[in-house]
Amino acid sequence: MHKIVNKQVIANDIKRIEVSAEAIARKIKPGQFVMVMPDEKSGKIPLAVADTDSRRNLITLVFQENGAATKKLGALQIGNSLFSLLGPLGMPVEIEKIGTVACLGYGVGIAQILPICRALKEAGNKVIGLIGAKTKRSLILESQMRIASYKLYVMTEDGSYGQKGLIEDVLPKVLKEENIKLAYAVGSAVMLKAVCGFTRQASVKTLVGLNPIMVDGTGLCGSCRVIVDGKKRLACVDGPVFDGHQVDFEDLMVRMK
């Protein structure tokens, strides 16, 4: 039913697949995600939908092979079908015209921030993109982010491409030079905590896409519990996007271990 119609290796251990999924392609909105099972014996994998093609009824998934389930997914070939594909899941982000918006994504988090960038641009916003990776070979979706952004900053930790350093290193400069009204960020808990520290000082509202451990995806298991504004929330049904200035990142980092 959910057949893989295209497959690419786009970076180190990172693959991109296009999957036939008519209902999801027509309904999913920026900020939402899907749960994927490569075969009946594998666990579920929460993945952002990087792109959709409602005309051809396709969705695009980008993932890194860093566990048994994702390696099984990466081993599937064009013409193979997924055992299970559930979605859209989670709450979509609210897209409105607000002015200049910063969109930050690190690693595979770029696939999660990309549809948000596109939607913000289509709504008439000036999008400033900031993306990063460890090396040039692990950087993904740069050309797509350039199209979705008015201006794009590219960072690599080893300096092999773009500017050397982390996204957090260039963010203060962007906040000073641009009239940022809102920021969206997706990446590790450590990165998000640092980003929110800078945006809090600049009084810029910041929405973050969290990626806690997630087993079920529909609110039944509770493994993706996070604390937001002092209250327990489930990333799968209440998020995965939350107000970053209200997220307890210390708790999140402990649970991620």
Side-chain angles (χ1 to χ4, degrees), residues 36-252:
V36 179
M37 286 182 66
D39 59 40
E40 60 184 334
K41 294 183 180 180
S42 66
K44 296 178 180 178
I45 310 166
L47 293 176
V49 174
D51 200 0
T52 60
D53 186 337
S54 57
R55 183 180 60 84
R56 296 194 297 154
N57 300 323
L58 299 177
I59 63 172
T60 300
L61 304 176
V62 176
F63 59 96
Q64 185 170 17
E65 295 181 339
N66 55 9
T70 49
K71 288 180 180 179
K72 285 184 177 181
L73 181 59
L76 295 179
Q77 302 299 318
I78 295 175
N80 292 155
S81 294
L82 303 176
F83 176 74
S84 173
L85 179 62
L86 179 65
L89 300 172
M91 299 294 293
V93 299
E94 294 184 9
I95 301 294
E96 59 183 342
K97 186 175 181 180
I98 192 172
T100 304
V101 183
C103 289
L104 305 88
Y106 182 88
V108 290
I110 301 171
Q112 192 172 339
I113 203 71
L114 176 59
I116 295 175
C117 289
R118 285 172 169 160
L120 287 167
K121 181 181 179 181
E122 290 175 3
N125 294 286
K126 177 183 176 182
V127 177
I128 307 298
L130 298 90
I131 59 174
K134 288 186 177 181
T135 67
K136 179 180 180 180
R137 294 186 63 186
S138 59
L139 183 69
I140 64 171
L141 303 174
E142 179 192 355
S143 59
Q144 291 89 335
M145 282 294 297
R146 287 197 181 279
I147 294 172
S149 304
Y150 170 80
K151 184 186 296 184
L152 183 68
Y153 294 86
V154 180
M155 310 291 293
T156 53
E157 291 185 30
D158 67 350
S160 56
Y161 186 67
Q163 300 181 49
K164 183 177 181 178
L166 304 170
I167 291 176
E168 308 94 283
D169 297 335
V170 74
L171 179 58
K173 174 178 180 290
V174 174
L175 291 172
K176 183 178 180 180
E177 296 179 355
E178 303 284 348
N179 185 23
I180 304 295
K181 299 294 186 181
L182 178 67
Y184 284 86
V186 182
S188 69
V190 173
M191 168 205 157
L192 296 179
K193 180 183 178 182
V195 166
C196 289
F198 288 119
T199 57
R200 184 181 289 107
Q201 292 177 5
S203 299
V204 174
K205 181 178 179 180
T206 304
L207 300 177
V208 296
L210 302 184
N211 294 289
I213 296 170
M214 192 178 295
V215 177
D216 177 73
T218 59
L220 296 178
C221 70
S223 62
C224 66
R225 190 270 291 154
V226 294
I227 297 179
V228 182
D229 195 22
K231 301 175 183 177
K232 295 179 181 179
R233 308 289 294 275
L234 296 177
C236 65
V237 293
D238 299 318
V241 178
F242 296 98
D243 184 332
H245 296 164
Q246 297 181 348
V247 173
D248 186 334
F249 287 108
E250 296 299 330
D251 176 78
L252 175 60

